[in-house]
């Protein structure tokens, strides 16, 4: 009993029953879990007052997160709340959610003078703290004796709300697993702040609350490199910038992973960053440890064990996906389930930060989860990989047939076109190929040594032709076709070897490597003759003619083209149209412009009849070039305009840029300076769109037209 307070027993000498307070004291009554306690004095101002200061010290190394901190400040500045402000930091394990929270709270905690609390709710340990235990920890932190803490959850919630009703406190609820954990510990005061970190979006929390949600993902590349530099030292990063950048990318730009790798590097000061990168390329990051303390794998294993069985099965199957980003349909194919069901499972993985939504029905693995899924799903990898690769092959074939329905192909049965495709269908197909280009390339490289998927490997190379050629992904084309040729040789498929040699040679030719192109075409010709295939033989002869044409050997080119015509199948209308086009180009180069015009117009008619709008535009380009060579720039304008429109319709921006450059040259030589300036501006924009900053890069390819730069040409 405190001094100055007297409580008379119920059997007082005056025969009455009464409780009395005597003396001069300020009393505070607190009812907790059915017990009445009387405290004297103001606990917030007396020496006995308990003012918790539990927030841990913010980590020393902290980079970037300016965008997230701005969002937090904006949320804090918001008014008109009837309850505490709840901030939800969501992101994968190791993203630095807790570090961000502590750094931000270190700045703003002064606005909450009545208490700074921190709860570790156990999400990454696999032992989630119950709301009952969390509340007990908070109440004891306020000074309530352990034996005085209520036994029931309801009693503890009421006591916590009572204590916080008139106080401005801040609470960091770290590593939350469920919305129930958060709901139970919310302070009562509208002037309080609760910061929640979680790998999950805690969907149930949104039923009657509106948290300020802030996503915490991988660091930007510059910030990730800065973090590595702070750990291993500026000199080492400056000396090996390429290795440093590779390291942070291998770490998925995860702060925790970068810290782990950086500390390992700091403890080995004589180990080059290049060596560290080599160690990580083998997917060893999750198992890497510092002084025997594994820092990453345990948390990922815990998160995986929390998944329901079907979601866990999908996660394992997606570990076989060739790239970190994918769409709903291939995910459904990987597990053989309905799209709507798989969409729910993917959303569950996204809610738990395994995945990041990047568009409608499109997702991206957080890098380390992708690695973890691949390791976890090793036992299902073969079946899942087959399902995924075969789905990509089917879709790539369908897309390519829509874009170039009559192109010569070998291998699997391709669907027979039922009619010409519409521009919208071709645009959709090209957009799909562009979106999945990286996954298609990765699928080829991932199946290079997989004997069970050898057929699919080289067939994917063939299907990659259109996107790699039209969009000028030449390096990818060479890399994948080199793999595909080796696989076809291993299988003994001579016709596939000839086809892929022809395609790889065209990539070399477009890259300006005429010698390598010629080598590929010569081997393709020998291979085609060995297997006796007329189409393969004619194509190889045609392509050898293109090599001669590129070397400006017109007469030799004509000889190759004539041989190709003799070897060709008379029923191949597209092949005949292509050879007619090439022969017209050869005569144009030789200066026989009349014969060139006749052949080129014939080729246009053939492509119109097929129909083949893309190649029709190519022939119109050649006709414009012929008129330029003939000294008739005015006559070149009409076919070049038609070619420009055709390339635009075919969604071929690189080829369109070439045509517009020719238009600029033709207009300039015709004295139409305003038109020339307009075309140069259009060409510059198109060049930027395809990654060429200077129109002159392409203009130099047309030096044969003896175009002299003047005021109608782009500035130097």
């Amino acid at each position: 009993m405190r001094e100055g307070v007297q409580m008379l027993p119920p059997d007082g000498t005056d025969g009455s029953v009464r409780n009395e307070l005597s003396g001069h004291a300020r009393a505070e009554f607190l009812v907790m879990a059915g017990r009445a306690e009387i405290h004297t004095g103001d606990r917030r101002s007396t020496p006995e007052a308990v003012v918790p200061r539990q927030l841990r010290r913010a980590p020393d190394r902290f980079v970037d997160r300016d965008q997230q901190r701005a969002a937090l400040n904006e949320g804090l500045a918001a008014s008109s709340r009837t309850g505490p402000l709840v901030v939800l930091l969501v992101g994968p394990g190791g993203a630095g959610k807790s570090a961000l929270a502590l750094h931000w709270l270190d700045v703003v905690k002064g606005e909450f003078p009545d208490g700074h609390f921190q709860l570790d709710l156990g999400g990454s340990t696999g032992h989630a703290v119950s709301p009952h235990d969390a509340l007990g920890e908070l109440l004891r932190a306020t000074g309530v004796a352990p034996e005085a803490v209520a036994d029931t959850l309801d009693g503890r919630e009421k006591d916590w709300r009572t204590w916080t009703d008139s106080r401005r406190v801040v609470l960091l609820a770290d590593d939350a697993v469920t919305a129930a954990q958060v709901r139970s510990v919310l302070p009562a005061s509208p002037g309080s702040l609760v910061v929640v970190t979680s790998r999950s979006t805690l969907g149930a929390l949104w039923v009657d609350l509106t948290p300020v949600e802030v996503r915490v993902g991988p660091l930007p590349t510059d910030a990730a490199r800065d973090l590595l530099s702070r750990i291993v030292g500026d000199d080492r990063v400056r000396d090996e910038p390429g290795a440093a950048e590779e390291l942070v990318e291998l770490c998925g730009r995860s702060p925790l992973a970068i810290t782990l790798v950086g500390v390992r590097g700091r403890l080995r000061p004589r180990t080059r960053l290049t060596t560290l990168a080599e160690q990580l390329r083998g997917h060893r990051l999750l198992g890497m440890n510092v002084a025997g303390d594994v820092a990453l794998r345990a948390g990922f294993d815990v998160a995986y064990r929390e998944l329901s069985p079907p979601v866990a099965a999908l996660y394992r199957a997606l570990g076989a996906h060739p790239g970190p980003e994918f769409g709903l349909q291939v995910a459904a194919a990987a597990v053989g389930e309905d799209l709507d069901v798989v969409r729910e499972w993917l959303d569950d993985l996204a809610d738990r930060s395994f995945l990041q939504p990047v568009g409608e029905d499109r997702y991206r693995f957080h890098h380390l989860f992708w690695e973890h899924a691949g390791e976890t799903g090793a036992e299902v990898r073969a079946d899942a990989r087959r399902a995924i690769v075969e789905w990509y092959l089917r879709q790539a074939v369908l897309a390519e047939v829509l874009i170039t329905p009559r192109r010569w192909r070998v291998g699997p049965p391709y669907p027979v076109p039922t009619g010409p495709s519409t521009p919208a269908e071709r645009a959709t197909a090209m957009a799909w190929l562009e979106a999945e280009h990286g996954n298609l390339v990765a699928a080829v490289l991932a199946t290079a040594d997989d004997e069970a998927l050898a057929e699919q490997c080289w067939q994917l190379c063939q299907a990659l032709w259109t996107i790699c050629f039209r969009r000028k992904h030449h390096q990818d084309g060479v890399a994948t076709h080199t793999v595909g040729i080796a696989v076809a040789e291993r299988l003994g498929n001579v016709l596939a070897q000839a086809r892929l040699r022809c395609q790889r040679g065209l990539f070399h030719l477009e890259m300006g490597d005429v010698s390598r192109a010629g080598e590929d075409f010569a081997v393709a010709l020998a291979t085609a003759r060995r297997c006796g295939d007329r189409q393969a033989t004619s194509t190889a002869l045609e392509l050898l003619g293109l090599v001669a044409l590129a070397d400006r050997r017109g007469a030799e080119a004509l000889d190759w083209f004539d041989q190709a015509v003799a070897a060709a199948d008379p029923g191949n209308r597209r092949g005949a149209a292509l050879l007619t086009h090439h022969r017209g180009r050869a005569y144009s180069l030789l200066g026989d412009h009349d014969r060139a015009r006749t052949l080129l117009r014939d080729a246009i008619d053939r492509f119109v009849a097929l129909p083949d709008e893309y190649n029709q535009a190519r022939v119109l380009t050649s006709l414009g070039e012929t008129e330029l060579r003939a000294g008739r720039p005015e006559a070149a304008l009409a076919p070049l305009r038609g070619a420009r429109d055709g390339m635009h319709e075919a969604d071929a921006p690189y080829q369109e840029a070439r045509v517009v450059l020719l238009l600029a040259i033709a207009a300039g030589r015709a004295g139409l300076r305003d038109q020339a300036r307009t075309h140069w501006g259009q060409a510059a924009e198109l060049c930027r769109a395809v990654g060429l900053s200077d129109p002159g890069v392409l203009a130099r390819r047309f030096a044969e037209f003896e175009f002299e730069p003047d005021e109608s040409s782009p500035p130097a």
Side-chain angles (χ1 to χ4, degrees):
M1 188 65 61
R2 296 175 188 255
E3 183 180 354
V5 178
Q6 181 181 7
M7 297 189 69
L8 299 178
D11 58 343
T13 56
D14 61 356
S16 64
V17 178
R18 62 187 189 276
N19 290 328
E20 291 184 354
L21 290 172
S22 63
H24 300 281
R26 176 175 176 174
E28 179 179 331
F29 290 82
L30 182 61
V31 180
M32 301 182 68
R35 299 183 303 281
E37 296 185 3
I38 302 174
H39 303 276
T40 62
D42 187 342
R43 290 185 299 173
R44 286 171 289 179
S45 58
T46 63
E48 291 101 342
V50 176
V51 183
R53 296 289 185 260
Q54 295 185 332
L55 293 177
R56 291 196 300 270
R57 184 176 63 83
D60 291 336
R61 299 186 189 97
F62 186 76
V63 296
D64 193 64
R65 302 307 188 194
D66 294 338
Q67 182 178 352
Q68 287 82 1
R69 283 187 284 188
L72 292 171
N73 289 332
E74 183 178 344
L76 184 60
S79 57
S80 68
R81 297 192 306 272
T82 58
L85 172 64
V86 179
V87 172
L88 180 59
L89 300 180
V90 183
K97 301 181 295 294
S98 300
L100 170 60
L102 289 168
H103 269 272
W104 182 63
L105 288 175
D106 196 44
V107 175
V108 304
K109 65 186 179 183
E111 299 181 31
F112 306 93
D114 298 324
H116 307 154
F117 298 87
Q118 179 161 348
L119 284 173
D120 294 315
L121 296 177
S124 60
T125 66
H127 302 287
V129 176
S130 69
H132 182 275
D133 291 344
L135 282 164
E137 183 178 335
L138 289 173
L139 289 169
R140 287 190 294 273
T142 67
V144 177
E147 63 274 12
V149 175
D151 294 329
T152 66
L153 175 62
D154 182 64
R156 294 184 178 193
E157 287 180 342
K158 290 176 179 176
D159 291 346
W160 174 243
R161 288 197 297 271
T162 299
W163 192 89
T164 58
D165 181 61
S166 59
R167 290 175 166 88
R168 288 174 57 85
V169 302
V170 62
L171 166 62
L172 172 56
D174 203 20
D175 208 11
V177 184
T178 67
Q181 287 178 307
V182 178
R183 286 182 177 280
S184 294
V185 300
L186 292 179
S189 167
S192 293
L193 169 66
V194 179
V195 178
V196 183
T197 71
S198 180
R199 293 169 301 175
S200 169
T201 55
L202 304 178
L205 197 63
W206 295 77
V207 173
D208 57 0
L209 293 172
T210 308
V212 175
E213 181 179 349
V214 177
R215 292 279 177 168
V216 185
L219 289 167
T221 299
D222 289 346
R225 192 168 48 242
D226 181 28
L227 178 58
L228 180 66
S229 180
R230 295 187 188 191
I231 301 171
V232 302
D234 294 339
D235 291 346
R236 295 174 73 181
V237 170
R238 189 166 48 249
D239 291 345
E240 297 184 83
E245 186 159 345
E246 183 181 6
L247 273 175
V248 299
E249 290 301 327
L250 287 168
C251 290
R253 288 179 275 117
S254 160
L256 178 58
I258 293 169
T259 300
L260 176 65
V261 171
V263 171
R264 185 181 181 90
R266 189 177 186 88
L267 295 176
R268 296 164 172 78
R270 288 182 293 276
T271 300
R272 301 184 71 236
L273 298 186
T274 302
T275 303
L276 284 175
E278 290 172 355
Q279 294 172 354
L280 293 191
R281 286 188 204 121
H283 290 289
R284 302 174 191 167
L285 180 57
L286 290 175
M288 182 174 284
N289 63 80
V290 176
D293 181 18
V294 178
L296 288 177
R297 186 184 301 280
F300 284 81
D301 289 342
V302 167
Y304 167 73
R305 288 194 294 268
E306 292 174 354
L307 299 175
S308 65
V311 176
L314 174 63
Y315 176 71
R316 293 193 300 271
L318 290 174
H321 190 270
E325 184 177 316
F326 56 89
L328 168 64
Q329 291 185 325
V330 71
V335 292
E337 290 287 351
D338 180 75
L339 289 176
D340 290 336
V341 173
V342 173
R343 184 184 287 110
E344 291 184 6
W345 294 347
L346 290 170
D347 287 343
D348 186 18
L349 288 170
D351 286 343
R352 298 170 183 267
S353 296
F354 287 77
L355 301 173
Q356 177 185 0
V358 291
E360 186 176 3
D361 288 340
R362 197 160 183 84
Y363 305 83
R364 173 180 283 275
F365 257 119
H366 290 290
H367 185 85
L368 295 176
F369 276 113
W370 183 39
E371 178 182 330
H372 183 264
E375 294 182 4
T376 306
E379 74 281 3
V380 299
R381 185 171 299 153
D383 290 342
R385 177 182 286 179
R386 172 175 288 277
I388 290 168
V389 169
E390 290 185 343
W391 184 86
Y392 274 121
L393 178 60
R394 287 193 302 272
Q395 298 304 313
V397 163
L398 290 172
E400 216 217 357
V401 166
L402 281 172
I403 297 167
T404 53
R406 292 172 179 83
R407 192 171 76 85
W408 169 49
R409 302 173 177 91
V410 299
Y414 277 72
V416 177
T418 57
S421 57
T422 67
E425 288 174 329
R426 292 194 293 273
T428 299
M430 183 64 79
W432 184 88
L433 285 170
E434 186 67 76
E436 301 296 352
H437 161 250
N439 285 329
L440 293 169
V441 170
V444 170
L445 302 180
T447 55
D449 299 320
D450 191 336
E451 293 302 322
L453 292 173
E455 289 288 340
Q456 291 86 341
C457 177
W458 75 260
Q459 291 165 11
L460 271 171
C461 290
Q462 183 174 220
L464 268 166
W465 162 257
T466 294
I467 185 62
C468 286
F469 192 79
R470 293 274 187 97
R471 289 294 190 264
K472 305 303 172 188
H473 300 305
H474 296 140
Q475 296 289 355
D476 287 339
V478 170
T480 53
H481 281 63
T482 299
V483 168
I485 290 167
V487 170
E489 289 174 347
R490 200 163 66 234
L491 291 171
N493 190 329
V494 180
L495 186 56
Q497 293 174 47
R499 186 61 183 128
L500 296 186
R501 286 271 185 182
C502 287
Q503 294 191 171
R504 188 177 71 175
L506 278 168
F507 289 128
H508 285 309
L509 192 60
E510 280 289 302
M511 295 165 68
D513 195 339
V514 178
S515 175
R516 286 191 178 181
E519 291 173 4
D520 264 337
F521 299 151
V523 174
L525 177 60
T527 306
R529 283 173 169 164
R530 191 163 73 246
C531 67
D533 187 272
R534 293 186 66 178
Q535 179 63 65
T537 301
S538 177
T539 298
L541 289 165
E542 172 194 349
L543 296 177
L544 284 167
L546 291 182
V547 169
L549 208 58
D551 273 345
R552 304 180 63 76
R553 303 191 307 270
E556 182 183 336
L558 274 174
D559 182 55
W560 286 115
F561 295 146
D562 289 342
Q563 292 184 58
V565 169
D569 180 351
N572 184 350
R573 296 166 58 205
R574 182 176 184 272
L578 287 170
L579 284 167
T580 301
H581 176 205
H582 297 328
R583 294 178 73 240
R585 292 177 63 202
Y587 278 112
S588 176
L589 185 63
L590 290 170
D592 191 343
H593 303 306
D594 288 338
R595 186 173 294 189
R597 291 187 191 97
T598 300
L599 287 167
L600 293 173
R601 287 167 182 156
D602 182 19
I604 290 172
D605 292 340
R606 290 172 183 265
F607 283 122
V608 169
L610 282 174
D612 186 335
E613 293 88 348
Y614 173 73
N615 275 301
Q616 182 183 338
R618 290 180 64 198
V619 183
L620 284 168
T621 304
S622 297
L623 186 56
E625 290 175 332
T626 296
E627 298 295 2
L628 279 171
R629 289 192 184 98
R632 292 166 21 108
E634 298 89 345
L637 292 172
L640 289 174
R641 287 172 185 143
R644 175 198 58 194
D645 296 343
M647 292 303 183
H648 185 77
E649 188 74 15
D651 191 20
Y654 188 95
Q655 291 82 354
E656 185 181 352
R658 294 180 60 181
V659 175
V660 176
L661 281 164
L662 281 172
L663 266 172
I665 293 172
R669 294 186 64 175
L672 304 172
R673 299 190 182 280
D674 289 342
Q675 286 190 31
R677 287 181 179 278
T678 299
H679 292 317
W680 278 120
Q682 294 169 343
E685 184 175 343
L686 285 166
C687 286
R688 283 192 293 270
V690 296
L692 294 173
S693 60
D694 178 12
V697 173
L698 282 178
R700 283 191 291 273
R701 299 184 64 177
F702 304 110
E704 62 187 277
F705 303 118
E706 300 176 355
F707 176 72
E708 294 294 334
D710 59 16
E711 65 271 17
S712 67
S713 64

